[in-house]
Amino acid sequence: MKLTKRILPIVLCCLLAVAAPGQNGTTNGTGLAPERLARIGAVMNEHVAKGRIAGAIGLIARRGKVSYFESYGFQDKEASIPMREDTIFRMYSMTKPITGVAVLMLYEEGKFFLTDPVSKYLPEFANMKVAVVENDAETGKVIRAVPALRQITILDLLRHTSGIDYRGPQDTDGKPIYEKLGTNNTDQTIGEMVKKIAQAPLVHQPGTMWEYGLSMDVLARLVEVVSGKTYDKFLEERIFKPLAMVDTGYNVPAEKASRFARLYAPDGQTIKPSTAPAQSAYLKPAVNFGGGSQLVSTARDYMRFCQMLLNGGELDGVRILSRKSVELMSADHLGDMPRGADLMGPGYGFGLTVAVSRGVGRSGATGSAGEYFWGGAAGTRFWIDPKEQMIGIFMIQILPHTNLTYGTQFRQLAYQAISD
């Protein structure tokens, strides 16, 4: 998908301008102290100087105004290209909340109920099996498939309780089934990919456990079937264009390639340039318009998406969702349900594509009850705090992002800057 350049409205310039300090020592009524915000740059620039990161971007807004927007280090360290405010990043799983919004838009139009079985729209999921692993004293591990006790619902997909993970169950030889099926091949359409997902047994019974995986890609195909549009076109027409997200899409056009961040990989306590296909794959036209990990974007663009959510579904006179749908999205839908790999951390539940704080007394971290967030595999992160009317965006490109310290530090330093 090729995104055309557009002239941003004046309101965007106002929203993203860094305000000057006021007489009360805070930043233009945002209640964030400039001298405390300065601590962020000191910490991040130290990481750059010690070679832990090549570069990053931090953006903080409160009460509808951006009070901090800084870049650190390099977009491409080896080429000595500084990080810039409009650098384009691989968003990976920060694609997922955008998919959640797309699904809720169709839900608002009465296209389906969240309790509907997904097989009503994608019949390949009608008769799912569940892999059961048993240990036999004589024959060793035995894997068999049993019928699912109930259908996968759209709600299951949104909250990762569908039984679909990223690897699929193992076959009798101990190999991941998705690997054999070619599920993660991005040189196929999302429709082809989803049919392969449906061929594999689930890793647990639907609605019984939180397990991170390919549920969002199934939802992208649901959007295509229900809307009658390819997923990239739906996002462009219904979300990106209305919100003036001019640099968000499934590939980086040639005229924007100079702004595409280099991807790095961990190398002990430092980093090295990555040799993963993702280094250049996004410079080619996309084939697979998935809902889980394929988008690229900028700090400015994703900020506009987050501000829309914080505003209750509206930005600059454009309404994407109703306030009630945003409340539904950001409510905890897990309760005490068991979890597989817990990516949220203590004190967090999970809503519809986002983790949700159950309160600082349970999380052991600065923040607010009801704050919601998610991040990407290369270290990008966002959070939205309705109580504080606060948004944070952190952009970095290290894959696999085995050290989550940087985004967590940025968030901690952002909260400590609140002075009212």
Side-chain angles (χ1 to χ4, degrees), residues 284-398:
K284 299 180 250 183
V287 175
N288 183 282
F289 306 121
S293 62
Q294 285 93 323
L295 288 175
V296 297
S297 190
T298 62
R300 277 191 174 100
D301 276 11
Y302 212 88
M303 175 67 189
R304 291 187 64 78
F305 175 74
C306 291
Q307 191 67 56
M308 175 273 295
L309 290 173
L310 183 57
N311 290 353
E314 181 270 340
L315 181 64
D316 295 339
V318 176
R319 180 158 293 281
I320 302 296
L321 287 177
S322 75
R323 175 175 58 85
K324 300 306 293 183
S325 292
V326 176
E327 291 173 2
L328 176 67
M329 179 179 179
S330 57
D332 178 20
H333 289 259
L334 280 193
D336 296 325
M337 188 180 297
R339 308 176 186 191
D342 190 353
L343 302 180
M344 288 84 82
Y348 281 85
F350 201 79
L352 307 184
T353 71
V354 290
V356 182
S357 174
R358 294 170 173 172
V360 296
R362 300 183 66 176
S363 67
T366 310
S368 304
E371 163 227 339
Y372 52 104
F373 83 94
W374 206 239
T380 57
R381 177 172 180 163
F382 81 94
W383 79 89
I384 300 172
D385 187 331
K387 181 178 179 181
E388 292 292 345
Q389 287 291 293
M390 187 176 187
I391 295 167
I393 309 282
F394 184 73
M395 297 293 209
I396 196 170
Q397 294 281 265
I398 304 175

Side-chain angles (χ1 to χ4, degrees), residues 192-229:
E192 293 168 336
M193 176 182 176
V194 165
K195 285 183 179 178
K196 290 178 180 179
I197 294 172
Q199 292 174 26
L202 304 173
V203 296
H204 60 70
Q205 291 286 348
T208 63
M209 179 175 287
W210 188 90
E211 193 76 65
Y212 201 52
L214 296 169
S215 292
M216 301 301 116
D217 298 292
V218 178
L219 287 172
R221 180 57 182 160
L222 172 71
V223 170
E224 289 190 336
V225 170
V226 173
S227 70
K229 298 179 180 180

